[in-house]
Amino acid sequence: MRNEASPLRGRIAGELDRLRREQLLRTLDCPAGIPLTSNDYLGLARDGRLASATADAIREIGRVGSTGSRLLAGNSEDWEQAEREFAAFAGTEAALYFSSGFAANLGLLGALVRPGDIVFSDSLNHASLIDGIRLSGANKVIYPHGDLARLETALARHQSDPGAKLIVTESLFSMEGDLAPLARLAELGREYGAELIVDEAHAVGVFGPEGRGLAYEAGLANEILAVVHTCGKALGSAGAFVCSGGALRDFLVNRARTFIFSTAAPPYLAHQIRAAVGLARAMDAERAHLQTIAAALREGLRSEGFDVRASASQIVPVVAGASEAALAWAESLREDGFAVRAIRPPTVPEGTARLRLSLTAALGGEEVQRLLRACVRARGRSRLAVAARESGA
Ligand SMILES: *Cc1c(COP(=O)(O)O)cnc(C)c1O
């Protein structure tokens, strides 16, 4: 083992020291307690029916790995069928599966736009969307989160620029829990000649008729250039579909590097996802329960004076402010039996460190009331600790 100093080893140690000093160091924990960080909104990841469907598929296929890229040995009717079915579910003509949502967004944006084009991107868009835009080399205009007036001004300013225009947004924002005004975004796109891409990672399975997502619910699935649905959250599985017209699918098969140069996902996953969609479609009761407990939590927190932003979903942020406060709140909630994590910069803007409570349909109403009381206690404990420190005690 080498241990002499080198610039890279110095950088690694220096960066870790800095993160530790600034209370920003992230560590990998195995959460214990009532889970409030899970994206398994419908409980499908633990659903025995999904596990059996997967085991059956492995047995029937008689093979686990896909053995190659989709363009080589990795393609199979398993995936073709899953894509046709998912497109029908999403309300689009076609769909193409990627092995993760991150890969889908990198592949899609990296292939679609290029230098000279302009991408209008919400300031709170997911890292995979940001990196996809970066990778493409297109110019980007970041508009303040949800600020359509600012977006419109930017669209107008660039209206006569020669390149292609694209608006990119999440439908349900993962750190704020609020919903994008999709109908108005589509309207602006039409008005100013910009296409629209919508990432439904946190909405699929949870919103829309049978969990088909917010673009479907708004009647826009067919109009939007591409809707990205991930399968690792409410669908309890893994990967993501880019849902679009047939031409965009053909284009991605030829141009999306994360699709072309990556081993196809195992064919049993295609069956798992088909089963997951089938189960999710029938989970209206779970969806309704989830919205009921989320509304109760938001209202309870608001009436206790907490800042839960504009949350309108199963994702409820509780803003603490400083990273240190968010860490203390999370620790207090853990002591009360709730598995939560503090979300700190750079994931969220400076000064808005927070707890991100992510509810699942498995939670009961009584647990949500206990959670509410635990939040009040966490804030109280943390204020006491600050007061004690300031008085030099
Ligand atoms: C989680 C997430 C992704 C990434 O999907 P993975 O399948 O986890 O790679 C992409 N976009 C958004 C908005 C997400 O929340």
Side-chain angles (χ1 to χ4, degrees):
M1 166 148 174
R2 292 173 51 149
N3 55 10
E4 72 267 34
S6 80
L8 287 181
R9 286 160 198 255
R11 182 183 306 165
I12 293 165
E15 194 68 5
L16 287 172
D17 280 346
R18 183 183 68 80
L19 289 170
R20 238 174 251 121
R21 262 198 322 277
E22 295 174 8
Q23 309 244 25
L24 293 175
L25 189 73
R26 302 170 197 234
T27 55
L28 296 173
D29 299 330
C30 298
I34 295 170
L36 290 167
T37 56
S38 171
N39 299 319
D40 186 21
Y41 302 123
L42 300 174
L44 278 172
R46 301 172 162 279
D47 195 303
R49 294 168 295 177
L50 195 51
S52 337
T54 308
D56 291 349
I58 293 176
R59 251 192 314 276
E60 274 159 35
I61 297 164
R63 163 167 69 92
V64 178
S66 74
T67 77
S69 157
R70 289 281 295 281
L71 287 160
L72 300 170
N75 201 31
S76 59
E77 182 51 28
D78 309 289
W79 280 117
E80 297 284 338
Q81 187 177 3
E83 289 172 342
R84 282 193 300 273
E85 279 185 24
F86 201 92
F89 171 69
T92 59
E93 192 178 298
L96 188 68
Y97 181 83
F98 288 74
S99 50
S100 75
F102 209 112
N105 284 335
L106 280 191
L108 170 63
L109 289 160
L112 190 61
V113 283
R114 50 177 78 145
D117 294 340
I118 306 177
V119 182
F120 300 87
S121 174
D122 187 286
S123 62
L124 292 187
N125 274 343
H126 189 263
S128 57
L129 295 167
I130 296 169
D131 287 2
I133 298 166
R134 265 189 206 148
L135 188 63
S136 76
N139 297 324
K140 75 179 167 220
V141 173
I142 297 170
Y143 59 92
H145 175 57
D147 189 339
L148 296 189
R150 292 282 290 277
L151 171 61
E152 183 164 12
T153 307
L155 286 164
R157 181 161 6 101
H158 292 282
Q159 198 164 16
S160 53
D161 290 11
K165 320 266 177 0
L166 176 67
I167 303 168
V168 175
T169 187
E170 294 182 32
S171 61
L172 193 182
F173 284 88
S174 60
M175 290 300 144
E176 301 281 306
D178 60 341
L179 310 182
L182 292 184
R184 183 66 189 132
L185 284 167
E187 222 171 270
L188 284 173
R190 266 179 249 127
E191 223 171 300
Y192 290 94
E195 295 284 358
L196 178 59
I197 284 180
V198 175
D199 181 337
E200 299 253 40
H202 291 277
V204 62
V206 178
F207 283 90
E210 302 183 301
R212 293 167 194 254
L214 290 157
Y216 185 101
E217 186 175 62
L220 293 168
N222 231 333
E223 172 187 335
I224 293 172
L225 185 63
V227 185
V228 178
H229 288 282
T230 67
C231 307
K233 289 170 179 153
L235 296 179
S237 181
F241 292 94
V242 175
C243 302
S244 68
L248 179 54
R249 181 181 187 269
D250 293 346
F251 175 82
L252 293 174
V253 167
N254 286 276
R255 284 286 175 268
R257 293 168 66 82
T258 56
F259 177 84
I260 299 168
F261 299 104
S262 187
T263 299
Y268 70 81
L269 263 183
H271 294 267
Q272 180 181 92
I273 290 166
R274 288 173 55 207
V277 171
L279 293 167
R281 288 178 62 182
M283 294 179 123
D284 279 343
E286 284 81 355
R287 275 186 283 277
H289 173 67
L290 188 54
Q291 296 312 329
T292 304
I293 58 175
L297 180 65
R298 290 192 306 264
E299 280 154 27
L301 285 167
R302 282 192 181 116
S303 71
E304 290 289 350
F306 285 98
D307 173 8
V308 297
R309 318 294 288 189
S311 168
S313 70
Q314 76 279 12
I315 298 172
V316 183
V318 192
V319 176
S323 291
E324 198 188 354
L327 287 169
W329 291 16
E331 184 52 38
S332 171
L333 277 157
R334 273 195 293 273
E335 282 168 24
D336 285 337
F338 294 100
V340 301
R341 301 263 303 180
I343 312 281
R344 292 164 283 168
T347 308
V348 292
E350 208 60 54
T352 69
R354 64 192 64 182
L355 305 179
R356 175 180 176 276
L357 306 178
S358 152
L359 304 187
T360 72
L363 286 170
E366 174 47 34
E367 277 171 317
V368 170
Q369 290 309 312
R370 278 209 290 126
L371 170 60
L372 177 58
R373 291 194 295 275
C375 288
V376 173
R377 203 153 42 233
R379 181 178 58 187
R381 282 172 180 163
S382 149
R383 279 179 182 162
L384 281 176
V386 170
R389 204 169 48 238
E390 281 172 0
S391 70

